[in-house]
Amino acid sequence: MSNFIPDKAGRSTSPRRAPGRHTQKLPRGSACVSCRERKVRCDGNEPVCLVCERAGRTCIYSSTKVAPAPGSTAALDAKLSSLEERMRQLTELNADVDEYDDYDDAEGNFISAHPGPLGFDVEEIPIEACRPFIDIFFEKSLGYLLLVPPERFYDDIHNADPKHQPHPALIYAMTLVGIECSAIRAVVEPGFHPSSAPLKADVVLTLARKHLDASLANADRLLDHLQASILVAFWLLRQGRLQEAQYMTSTNARLTVIYKLHQIDQVAMREYLESTSTSAPSIWDGTLLRKPSSHQELGFRIAVFWQAYYYDKFLSMTTGLLSAYNESSPEEEITTPWLRPMEEYKTGQALHGPYASFGTLTDLNELESTSNHPFTTLVLKAVSMLYRSSNVLVDPLAAEPYPAIDSMRILLAAATKMLDQLPKVQKHSGSRGSSLLQPSEMVITVVECMLLVTVINIHGAAESLPSPHSFWDKEQSQVFRIDAARKVIGRGQLMKDANAPYLSIGFMLTPACKVLAEHSRHIRSVGWDNSTSKGGMAPVALEDIEKELSIGVSLLSDLAELFPVLEVQLEKIRAH
């Protein structure tokens, strides 16, 4: 069993409250206009709340603290003012994106965004020229959580009804990612050559953006639009164009909420059971997407939501900016079930199985069946745990100055439980036990690294708590972190040996290398007692720590040559 959970001997009975902080909620209507619009927690401090002060925004409080009655003239005026304010904010965002200014993230890291050199006046590319790159994209589609079967995609291209063909925006977005995959493959596989003439990424990006605008303006094939926008945003992230990626990713997340893709709950699922009346009211009534026409289309909607969620969380952790999802808000509570294989939606099996969603993320009983989860669910659960662990100490408005200790322990227990289950998943995935990793094994390795970094983050949070709050021995936490960091670097080497360059592995290497760099400095300054073992693991010699740190930095440097965004991560390690 993974030994990342300490015994309870060092656990404090209850954390102390910080003086001057209050646990009660603000009265309704006491938040500032900006926090209310963004659905974030406001401290109600006047004249400027802490959230607006940190973001550098103008903080405005409405003249009245009493919410007007629904349907009243005052309520309608308030709604109109809210919409006007949102339009103003969107206008400012569009202006920012048009200018592509460089900026600093929440940690003061310099982030650069590069404008595209072309306008929309470029010639369309025939599908025959795009197809070789789309084929390459489909080879990697599991890593993008895109579950459209290639045969269905190509059948739809030749559909007589244009409205049932894939939207050009999606075709170009797949082509764009395929071009990058092709370039990476040419580096790691010297004998590989694309079977067609190369396409210029900036031209394809321009065409994708052109058709994205047209799709949204005409409400045309909006699911295709959302998938295409997600892929373009992730491509921008991989290129290091973080401002553009952040803007598109946040917009995609908001669209999933507008389309109600985040709340495809048990009620929505029951609509598609045979016993449900077709004339019954639907959660899709009045929405832009309308009711899905089949079980399979419902599955696509669930897949698109989780795509948007995954990239939003991933980019939030990359940039240090806030996630676009406010899961503490009832309107944005995620009830959409974890993603199942698309074949199960086609047959209806996914609708009859046990319901499990975001609320079961840390349910140890549910995690006991991890070996039966599809790979997409494993990835989604791992990134959700990783995101939670990366934010355990960053909420300035929390009722307590430190995270709830029980929540940290629960998250750690869940991550450890899932780590314990991964060997069973690997066994069920059809691994041939060869030195070459199979695609499914690569996904499992990425999941393992995410969970290991979750362990690193939680133990790092435990180390930073003052002694009265620390719920286990700090040296024990340090040993757990070092062990997890060494495993991440070992998995990174395994992926390199398999010619499997994954961007997510690069991001996991960063905290692993930081842990080893910090520990190397610690040994040099105060020494390390090699005569004792802590947490059931023997201490590691300085030369071994520095050797593995060197390997980790080398792996990250190699990945940065393929993914420019990792240059920022590499600089963080060099700064250590």
Side-chain angles (χ1 to χ4, degrees), residues 317-348:
M317 291 184 286
T318 301
T319 62
L321 300 174
L322 289 175
S323 164
Y325 290 105
N326 178 21
E327 288 132 23
S328 62
S329 165
E331 293 81 9
E332 297 186 29
E333 179 187 5
I334 295 171
T335 58
T336 297
W338 298 116
L339 188 58
R340 301 296 306 170
M342 199 53 62
E343 186 62 28
E344 291 186 16
Y345 294 103
K346 186 176 181 180
T347 62

Side-chain angles (χ1 to χ4, degrees), residues 145 234 306-318 327 338 358 361 375-391 411 418 446-452 454 457 504 507-508:
L145 300 183
F234 196 55
W306 284 116
Q307 266 187 298
Y309 174 88
Y310 174 84
Y311 292 128
D312 171 77
K313 297 303 183 187
F314 197 91
L315 194 132
S316 175
M317 291 184 286
T318 301
E327 288 132 23
W338 298 116
F358 197 75
L361 178 63
F375 296 125
T376 48
T377 297
L378 295 177
V379 173
L380 292 168
K381 286 191 172 186
V383 80
S384 298
M385 291 183 189
L386 178 60
Y387 178 77
R388 284 193 183 184
S389 73
S390 66
N391 287 277
L411 183 58
M418 199 166 165
V446 170
V447 168
E448 183 181 11
C449 287
M450 288 182 178
L451 295 171
L452 288 168
T454 299
N457 289 341
S504 51
F507 284 113
M508 299 308 105

Side-chain angles (χ1 to χ4, degrees), residues 10 23 25 67 72 108 189 340 347 357 391 436 442 472 485 543:
T23 59
K25 294 182 180 179
S72 65
E189 299 178 28
R340 301 296 306 170
T347 62
S357 185
N391 287 277
L436 290 178
M442 295 175 190
W472 56 69
E543 54 269 27

Side-chain angles (χ1 to χ4, degrees), residues 371 375 378 421-433 437-438 440-442 444-445 448 491 494:
S371 59
F375 296 125
L378 295 177
Q421 295 293 313
L422 287 183
K424 298 179 183 178
V425 179
Q426 198 157 12
K427 182 178 179 181
H428 291 177
S429 69
S431 168
R432 297 178 302 185
L437 291 177
Q438 304 305 304
S440 59
E441 293 176 283
M442 295 175 190
I444 293 170
T445 302
E448 183 181 11
R491 303 305 182 268
L494 190 65

